[in-house]
């Protein structure tokens, strides 16, 4: 298969809730995921339409998704059909949960990586370990990301760097999805 403009599959994994129908509380999927995240010493931020800047009618995400759809991208996450998929697809990724599936080290230790530099729970060693795991994941698929090595060695990562690391994690999910690797899809197209 070709890469780039001539590829038969284009996949965008997006670190943002993409279906938010509820006006308060949390989406049903967040109720399911919160139990898993609690087990791994983390939590879930609820998405709802009352968070106007993120999910209200005028929130930037909706224009972004409309733009993707105008480019013939389809919101698609059916794991069982992806090996025969052709076209342009996007889906939601929750990096904190995804880290447990992609990088088994965190699953095995029983705790998500503490890599948000704005939290008091931040651990530089977790930041470095997550960067190492992402580099290893990409390397096994012949993908290079020179920024990761620089980020890994940052003595005091900033929030902007964490956002970039989350985008690399989303890239890892897109590669795994397109490559037909084992995955779990939680949620639905009606409630998120």
């Amino acid at each position: 298969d070709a890469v780039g403009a001539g590829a038969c599959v284009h996949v965008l994994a997006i670190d943002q809730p993409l279906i938010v129908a509820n006006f308060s509380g949390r989406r049903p999927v967040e109720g399911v995921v919160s139990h898993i995240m609690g087990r791994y010493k983390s939590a879930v931020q609820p998405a709802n339409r009352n968070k106007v800047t993120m999910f209200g009618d005028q929130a930037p995400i909706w224009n972004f998704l409309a733009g993707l759809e105008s480019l013939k991208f389809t919101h698609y996450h059916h794991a069982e059909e992806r090996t025969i998929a052709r076209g342009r697809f996007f889906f939601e990724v929750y990096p904190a949960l995804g880290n447990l599936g992609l990088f088994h080290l965190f699953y095995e230790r029983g705790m998500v990586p503490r890599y948000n530099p704005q939290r008091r729970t931040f651990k530089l060693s977790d930041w470095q370990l997550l960067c190492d795991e992402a580099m290893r994941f990409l390397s096994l698929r012949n993908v290079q990301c020179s920024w990761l090595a620089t980020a890994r060695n940052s003595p005091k990562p900033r929030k902007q760097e964490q956002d970039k690391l989350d985008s690399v994690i989303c890239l890892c999910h897109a590669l795994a999805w397109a490559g037909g690797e084992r995955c779990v899809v939680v949620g639905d197209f009606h409630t998120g």
Side-chain angles (χ1 to χ4, degrees), residues 36-137:
I36 298 166
M37 296 308 292
R39 181 175 173 204
Y40 289 90
K41 300 170 181 60
S42 189
V44 175
Q45 294 295 320
N48 61 62
R49 303 290 276 193
N50 277 330
K51 295 180 177 184
V52 177
T53 57
M54 295 244 347
F55 307 113
D57 291 342
Q58 304 306 312
I61 188 63
W62 310 132
N63 284 335
F64 177 72
L65 296 180
L68 286 179
E69 289 169 352
S70 75
L71 295 170
K72 306 293 187 233
F73 277 82
T74 302
H75 190 179
Y76 188 86
H77 64 235
H78 298 290
E80 67 279 1
E81 300 169 2
R82 65 201 153 113
T83 56
I84 59 168
R86 297 289 180 262
R88 298 175 174 184
F89 308 103
F90 64 89
F91 57 87
E92 175 181 334
V93 170
Y94 179 40
L97 179 61
N99 289 333
L100 296 172
L102 281 182
F103 313 123
H104 296 150
L105 171 75
F106 300 113
Y107 173 82
E108 290 167 1
R109 81 174 191 179
M111 189 170 75
V112 298
R114 307 290 189 182
Y115 68 105
N116 184 339
Q118 289 186 324
R119 305 276 170 124
R120 60 179 174 75
T121 57
F122 173 79
K123 291 183 179 180
L124 183 60
S125 59
D126 276 6
W127 172 270
Q128 294 167 337
L129 196 53
L130 183 56
C131 288
D132 290 343
E133 288 296 300
M135 283 189 282
R136 183 188 59 73
F137 183 93

